[in-house]
């Protein structure tokens, strides 16, 4: 039994892909919602995100999803998976949209990839960072179970997270800079890539999330 | 260790059915978009592109339903193009489960649509499709112009300048099709591919003309493309996605295997 998986919906785009992927790997009940009662009773919480960070943060706060998330992490202590802008929203602040204060759940900042961006040999890199890139697993974690180190996941983003506490880094990705691809702390796992769009590897990570007891 | 170049099979969809057929050996229904999408996913396609060529309004509702079904079964990025004219059209396709939409003629008629939709939905989901045709200037220097209606109608707009303008307005990616090469199997028009990849900082998908394995390699190495889109070469089983990827990797191109 995977229990109820609540996908937090703060109105910033289509979350059906995440819900479909979770169902595909065996979630018995997935609810896409911002209803506080549902989220409080959920056995697992997914915190996704697409779009600009300013609008995201303002909707998260307006719908009090920030409080629900804190509650899930600290009181309910259920497994929480943040995805893409969901991860970025957890950081302290972002350079996007002229500078935005974020939720400060994971101290750190979200930076622009830079323009021009170049690789180690000086070749120009396009922004957004769009496509399949290798994730280097920097920590053993139940969510990496069955996924070989340096497996490729699908990324699409122009800003990247950098956590101050480097012991939280669970995976990194190289794209001109070394960007945080996954961060982990207690019952929270946050990824910059899109597991719901990363074919077999992404589905395996979501399956691992459904089987995770929230401990590292 | 770097970002992989992408292989994107493209399917023409009309009234919820894949037209022109797809020639997989053990496929049950060559017209079923969901079955075909699943098959390309199993082959290791990096993304999928659906081009809606449905003319009627009712048929377009069917397309939305098709996109919903694919998004429930296939967990790689999905682009939908064809007939996208407004912010509402974009919202409809994104809500149905498309990850990106490709805007073509509507961007020419109304460039602000690109800015508005990129602001609303994020640049990552807005692709601008450019159909370019070579129209050399009086001195015989190569130049490429934007064409509409399958390459029949000239617009007078320079394709390279247009790509740069679309990137400024917030497009997240350019889908470049050479109308001189589309359907010829003679390979990409590398001149315009290189000119546009050099002119913009956003990724460029090369399309139009793939007929051999070397064409994929040329599109990336000589054209500078970040992704390669192809239709018939995959549909009729000339090459599979893994064959193309293996060949590109042999030529030093970073691929997802």
């Amino acid at each position: 039994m995977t229990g109820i998986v609540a996908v937090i919906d703060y109105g910033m785009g289509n979350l059906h892909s995440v819900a479909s992927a979770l169902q595909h790997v065996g979630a018995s009940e997935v609810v896409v919602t911002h209803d506080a009662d549902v989220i409080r009773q959920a056995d697992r919480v997914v915190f996704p995100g697409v779009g600009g960070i300013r609008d995201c943060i303002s909707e998260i706060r307006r719908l009090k999803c920030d409080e629900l998330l804190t509650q899930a992490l600290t009181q309910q202590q259920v497994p929480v998976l943040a995805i893409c802008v969901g991860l970025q929203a957890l950081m302290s602040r972002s350079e996007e949209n002229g500078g935005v204060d974020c939720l400060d759940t994971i101290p750190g900042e979200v930076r622009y990839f830079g323009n021009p961006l170049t690789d180690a040999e000086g070749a120009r890199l396009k922004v957004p960072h769009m496509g399949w890139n290798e994730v280097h697993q920097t920590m053993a974690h139940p969510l990496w179970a069955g996924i070989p180190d340096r497996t490729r996941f699908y990324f699409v983003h122009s800003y990247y997270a950098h956590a101050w506490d480097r012991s939280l880094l669970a995976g990194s990705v190289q794209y001109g800079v070394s960007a945080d691809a996954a961060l982990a702390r207690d019952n929270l796992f946050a990824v910059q890539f899109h597991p719901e769009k990363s074919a077999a590897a992404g589905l395996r990570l979501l399956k691992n999330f459904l089987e995770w007891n929230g401990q590292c | 260790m770097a970002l992989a170049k992408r292989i994107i099979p493209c399917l023409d969809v009309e009234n919820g059915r894949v037209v022109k057929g797809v020639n997989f050996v053990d496929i049950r229904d060559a017209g079923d978009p969901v079955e075909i999408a699943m098959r390309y996913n199993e082959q290791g396609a990096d993304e999928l592109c659906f081009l809606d060529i449905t003319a009627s309004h009712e048929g377009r509702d069917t397309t939305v339903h098709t996109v919903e079904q694919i998004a429930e079964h296939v967990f790689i990025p999905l682009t939908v193009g064809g007939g996208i004219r407004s912010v509402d059209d974009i919202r409809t396709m994104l809500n149905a489960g498309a990850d990106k939409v490709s805007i073509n003629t509507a961007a020419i008629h109304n460039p602000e649509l690109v800015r508005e939709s990129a602001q609303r939905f994020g640049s990552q989901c807005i692709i601008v499709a450019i159909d370019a045709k070579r129209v050399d200037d009086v001195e015989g220097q190569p130049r490429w112009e934007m064409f509409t209606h399958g390459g029949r109608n000239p617009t007078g707009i320079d394709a390279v300048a247009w790509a740069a303008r679309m990137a400024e307005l917030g497009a997240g990616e350019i889908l470049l099709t050479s109308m001189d090469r589309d359907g010829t199997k003679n390979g990409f028009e590398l001149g315009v591919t290189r000119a546009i990849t050099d002119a913009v900082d956003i990724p460029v998908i090369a399309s139009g003309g793939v007929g051999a394995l070397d064409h994929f390699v040329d599109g990336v190495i000589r054209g500078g493309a970040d992704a390669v889109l192809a239709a018939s070469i995959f549909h009729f089983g000339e090459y599979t996605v893994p064959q193309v990827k293996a060949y590109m990797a042999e030529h030093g191109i970073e691929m997802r295997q």
Side-chain angles (χ1 to χ4, degrees):
Chain A
M1 270 303 291
T2 59
I4 298 169
V5 184
V7 179
I8 300 184
D9 179 10
Y10 46 94
M12 291 295 291
N14 169 39
L15 305 177
H16 295 299
S17 300
V18 180
S20 298
L22 287 163
Q23 275 157 349
H24 188 84
V25 294
S28 45
E29 191 176 355
V30 181
V31 191
V32 178
T33 185
H34 59 255
D35 185 319
D37 291 337
V38 176
I39 296 169
R40 277 196 207 105
Q41 290 183 13
D43 300 291
R44 293 163 204 283
V45 172
V46 176
F47 185 57
V50 288
I53 193 75
R54 183 179 298 278
D55 289 347
C56 278
I57 292 291
S58 110
E59 284 306 285
I60 288 166
R61 292 197 204 278
R62 188 177 69 82
L63 296 166
K64 303 202 186 305
C65 293
D66 50 340
E67 293 168 20
L68 292 167
L69 194 68
T70 305
Q71 198 165 44
L73 285 169
T74 57
Q75 286 160 37
Q76 292 162 251
Q77 297 199 340
V78 293
V80 174
L81 176 66
I83 299 173
C84 194
V85 178
L87 174 151
Q88 298 189 1
L90 296 176
M91 310 306 288
S92 310
R93 65 178 304 284
S94 171
E95 285 182 0
E96 193 179 355
N97 303 132
V100 174
D101 285 332
C102 301
L103 305 182
D104 202 21
T105 308
I106 301 175
E109 64 179 9
V110 181
R111 303 164 174 165
Y112 186 56
F113 265 118
N115 190 6
L117 181 70
T118 52
D119 67 13
E121 282 86 46
R124 187 175 60 146
L125 297 172
K126 302 295 184 85
V127 178
H129 173 221
M130 185 186 287
W132 300 79
N133 208 339
E134 292 177 359
V135 173
H136 174 40
Q137 296 170 15
T138 52
M139 171 198 291
H141 194 282
L143 264 70
W144 294 134
I147 302 171
D149 188 25
R150 301 190 188 278
T151 294
R152 290 183 188 274
F153 288 88
Y154 188 81
F155 288 83
V156 51
H157 58 129
S158 298
Y159 294 80
Y160 68 95
H162 181 86
W164 298 136
D165 180 354
R166 302 312 286 161
S167 73
L168 302 183
L169 190 71
S172 63
V173 63
Q174 298 298 320
Y175 194 65
V177 295
S178 183
D180 295 359
L183 295 165
R185 189 182 66 201
D186 306 328
N187 52 331
L188 169 66
F189 198 82
V191 292
Q192 177 61 62
F193 52 82
H194 287 271
E196 78 282 12
K197 291 290 161 186
S198 294
L203 293 174
R204 179 62 199 255
L205 187 134
L206 292 176
K207 186 167 180 285
N208 291 342
F209 173 67
L210 293 179
E211 290 166 359
W212 184 32
N213 62 6
Q215 285 163 18
C216 291
Chain B
M1 189 175 76
L3 185 65
K5 301 297 178 183
R6 291 167 280 151
I7 298 291
I8 310 174
C10 179
L11 297 156
D12 286 357
V13 182
E14 187 171 26
N15 297 311
R17 302 280 296 168
V18 173
V19 294
K20 287 196 246 173
V22 173
N23 181 21
F24 286 124
V25 244
D26 52 348
I27 202 159
R28 282 167 298 143
D29 177 357
D32 177 16
V34 179
E35 191 177 359
I36 294 167
M38 287 171 78
R39 193 57 59 92
Y40 279 126
N41 177 37
E42 285 160 21
Q43 281 199 359
D46 296 309
E47 296 186 24
L48 287 172
C49 180
F50 273 69
L51 186 62
D52 183 12
I53 58 168
T54 307
S56 71
H57 187 69
E58 298 74 34
R60 294 193 61 81
D61 290 344
T62 313
T63 306
V64 172
H65 183 59
T66 303
V67 171
E68 284 171 350
Q69 286 182 303
I70 293 166
E72 268 174 36
H73 292 94
V74 178
F75 301 103
I76 55 175
L78 174 66
T79 297
V80 179
I84 304 287
R85 293 191 176 83
S86 65
V87 167
D88 280 345
D89 289 345
I90 296 168
R91 183 184 294 112
T92 301
M93 285 305 175
L94 296 178
N95 282 341
D99 298 287
K100 317 179 196 183
V101 294
S102 164
I103 308 172
N104 192 343
T105 318
I108 298 172
H109 294 317
N110 176 22
E112 280 302 308
L113 175 63
V114 174
R115 186 202 300 276
E116 198 185 336
S117 53
Q119 271 172 5
R120 191 162 309 187
F121 306 111
S123 288
Q124 83 287 342
C125 64
I126 305 301
I127 298 181
V128 171
I130 291 183
D131 291 346
K133 206 163 163 176
R134 190 163 167 168
V135 284
D136 292 354
D137 65 16
V138 281
E139 277 108 47
Q141 288 299 307
R143 233 193 109 237
W144 295 269
E145 192 175 308
M146 299 281 297
F147 275 69
T148 62
H149 297 87
R152 289 193 303 276
N153 298 1
T155 63
I157 302 168
D158 180 84
V160 179
W162 182 252
R165 181 161 173 226
M166 291 299 103
E168 270 168 37
L169 286 178
E173 206 169 10
I174 298 286
L175 167 56
L176 169 66
T177 303
S178 160
M179 301 314 287
D180 301 297
R181 297 297 180 91
D182 204 26
T184 65
K185 297 189 173 284
N186 289 335
F188 298 116
E189 163 75 65
L190 295 172
V192 69
T193 309
R194 176 51 77 181
I196 287 180
T197 53
D198 283 349
V200 298
D201 288 317
I202 56 177
V204 175
I205 306 165
S207 156
V210 171
L213 290 174
D214 280 327
H215 297 157
F216 288 98
V217 173
D218 287 345
V220 169
I221 291 182
R222 293 170 61 198
D226 302 280
V228 181
L229 180 142
S232 57
I233 195 166
F234 292 131
H235 302 338
F236 300 111
E238 289 164 62
Y239 297 105
T240 64
V241 174
Q243 281 173 328
V244 171
K245 287 190 166 186
Y247 190 82
M248 293 173 83
E250 278 168 29
H251 286 74
I253 299 172
E254 196 85 30
M255 303 301 296
R256 175 176 74 108
Q257 299 294 351

